[in-house]
Amino acid sequence: QAHVLLSTPGQTPQVLCSCLALLGQEAKEQAHVLLSTPGQTPQVLCSCLALLGQEAKEQAHVLLSTPGQTPEVLCSCLALLGQEAKEQAHVLLSTPGQTPEVLCSCLNLLGEEAKIEAKEKIASWAETHPYVLSQCFAIADDTPEAQKAAEEILLRWQVGKKLDSAHKIVALQAPFNTELRQQMALQVLDNWHSSYRPLVASALTAFWNEPDAVTIYCRQILKRWYKDIEYYHHNKRKFGKRDDEYIIKALANPSLRRQAQAAARRMLETEANSPGFLTPRLHQRALEITQGKFPSWTEKEEEETEPLTIPQMAVLRPPKPPKSKRRV
């Protein structure tokens, strides 16, 4: 019946996508036909591209060059074509009106080759979407344009002007050692308990060459990691994707090796008792620390990896959060 439905005109996008998913490789011929048929919805086009993969390269090139495509279709084509889509990615970056999703896909594809476009967007940082700006800063690195923009953001923050958290994050992460950067980072860390957690991680990053200056905050984070994660699990609907980078950064502090190993052992015990309590990334880091491999304090952290297989552990009670609220 799925083959019949795919060959019958007038089907809804939901039906077409369901049939493609059901038939898989058996639907390749129909997928090619659908891709070449004008008027298909983005949902159907993306399903066809995902099914055909490399076999849809020709159609993907056509779609990228055809005006009016939705962000979903453009991003799917860029992901499918990879390095073959560099020319189109440059064009899209220079075309006004592109969505943040498309711009981020182009920047991710081009990397260092998009440095000129990245610097242009950084120069007008107030008009650039925060998530696009973050990728632009990563590409621009320590260029004068990036330094100027970071300083402007920090100055606006200092005088109390409203800024998106993402703007603050990129300014703190920018590799420029200034007194203002550390001043604003300390402002975050002094109130880290109630601060946006990715912002806390960025504030710690601002002291990449002075870990001792933030040891007190890292120690506090390691003492309440369990309470923080437990709070997240009890309030999942209030949060998006959980970000444990601030905990990982605290584990990396070179002055807290003993405390980090103790915390890592408790994390693994908790995970053994309550699977899924830790994110895969934090689980992986905790396992490595118990094996004597610590995250780098000065270098950019690696991308998320799957947790390693660990021996079966006895079921233990998760550690209780510390009772004392006294600052250490």
Side-chain angles (χ1 to χ4, degrees):
Q1 293 94 326
H3 278 293
V4 173
L5 289 170
L6 279 177
S7 304
T8 304
Q11 302 298 336
T12 65
Q14 291 79 7
V15 170
L16 292 175
C17 291
S18 295
C19 291
L20 290 169
L22 174 64
L23 293 171
Q25 298 299 301
E26 295 181 30
K28 281 187 174 182
E29 185 177 344
Q30 291 99 324
H32 277 293
V33 172
L34 290 170
L35 274 179
S36 304
T37 304
Q40 297 297 345
T41 65
Q43 185 181 1
V44 172
L45 292 175
C46 290
S47 293
C48 292
L49 290 169
L51 172 61
L52 293 170
Q54 297 299 302
E55 295 180 33
K57 280 187 174 183
E58 184 178 343
Q59 292 97 326
H61 277 293
V62 172
L63 289 170
L64 275 180
S65 304
T66 304
Q69 300 299 340
T70 64
E72 295 82 3
V73 172
L74 291 175
C75 291
S76 294
C77 291
L78 290 168
L80 173 62
L81 293 170
Q83 298 299 301
E84 294 181 28
K86 283 185 175 181
E87 184 178 343
Q88 292 100 322
H90 277 293
V91 172
L92 290 170
L93 274 179
S94 304
T95 303
Q98 298 297 343
T99 64
E101 293 80 8
V102 172
L103 293 175
C104 286
S105 292
C106 293
L107 291 167
N108 185 56
L109 171 61
L110 293 169
E112 289 291 317
E113 295 181 36
K115 183 165 281 191
I116 293 176
E117 293 92 339
K119 290 192 293 185
E120 289 174 352
K121 295 187 182 304
I122 285 174
S124 56
W125 65 266
E127 289 78 45
T128 301
H129 191 280
Y131 298 116
V132 176
L133 188 64
S134 178
Q135 280 199 267
C136 289
F137 264 92
I139 293 171
D141 198 27
D142 59 354
T143 57
E145 292 84 355
Q147 183 171 12
K148 180 182 178 183
E151 186 175 351
E152 289 176 357
I153 294 170
L154 291 171
L155 285 170
R156 288 200 185 188
W157 183 4
Q158 184 185 39
V159 298
K161 291 190 176 181
K162 188 175 181 180
L163 288 169
D164 190 286
S165 292
H167 285 133
K168 298 177 182 178
I169 288 171
V170 296
L172 289 176
Q173 289 179 340
F176 307 107
N177 298 322
T178 65
E179 184 178 341
L180 180 57
R181 180 193 186 196
Q182 293 193 345
Q183 177 187 333
M184 301 315 296
L186 285 175
Q187 181 176 304
V188 173
L189 293 172
D190 282 338
N191 299 282
W192 77 266
H193 298 82
S194 57
S195 296
Y196 181 48
R197 294 306 191 241
L199 187 58
V200 174
S202 297
L204 292 173
T205 300
F207 291 89
W208 68 273
N209 60 343
E210 294 183 62
D212 289 343
V214 291
T215 296
I216 183 174
Y217 305 108
C218 292
R219 184 180 286 113
Q220 291 170 9
I221 291 169
L222 293 184
K223 283 191 172 185
R224 61 172 285 158
W225 67 267
Y226 178 85
K227 187 175 182 180
D228 263 24
I229 297 176
E230 184 181 47
Y231 180 80
Y232 168 83
H233 282 294
H234 289 164
N235 299 273
K236 284 183 179 180
R237 292 184 179 180
K238 292 170 57 177
F239 301 99
K241 183 180 179 182
R242 197 169 101 219
D243 191 318
D244 292 328
E245 201 61 40
Y246 72 106
I247 297 177
I248 293 172
K249 198 67 182 173
L251 288 167
N253 191 298
S255 298
L256 298 174
R257 292 294 190 238
R258 181 173 56 82
Q259 293 90 333
Q261 286 191 317
R265 285 193 295 269
R266 291 195 296 272
M267 288 177 188
L268 294 182
E269 291 167 0
T270 303
E271 181 67 16
N273 191 59
S274 304
F277 189 78
L278 304 179
T279 59
R281 179 169 168 76
L282 183 55
H283 187 187
Q284 174 76 10
R285 292 305 192 202
L287 179 60
E288 291 174 349
I289 288 171
T290 60
Q291 297 171 346
K293 181 182 177 182
F294 292 86
S296 170
W297 177 263
T298 58
E299 297 176 5
K300 185 178 179 181
E301 301 294 347
E302 298 174 359
E303 294 299 316
E304 183 173 331
T305 56
E306 291 299 317
L308 299 175
T309 303
I310 60 175
Q312 183 65 36
M313 300 177 67
V315 176
L316 302 173
R317 292 183 180 179
K320 295 181 180 180
K323 295 181 180 179
S324 174
K325 295 184 179 180
R326 179 173 58 87
R327 290 169 67 96
V328 179

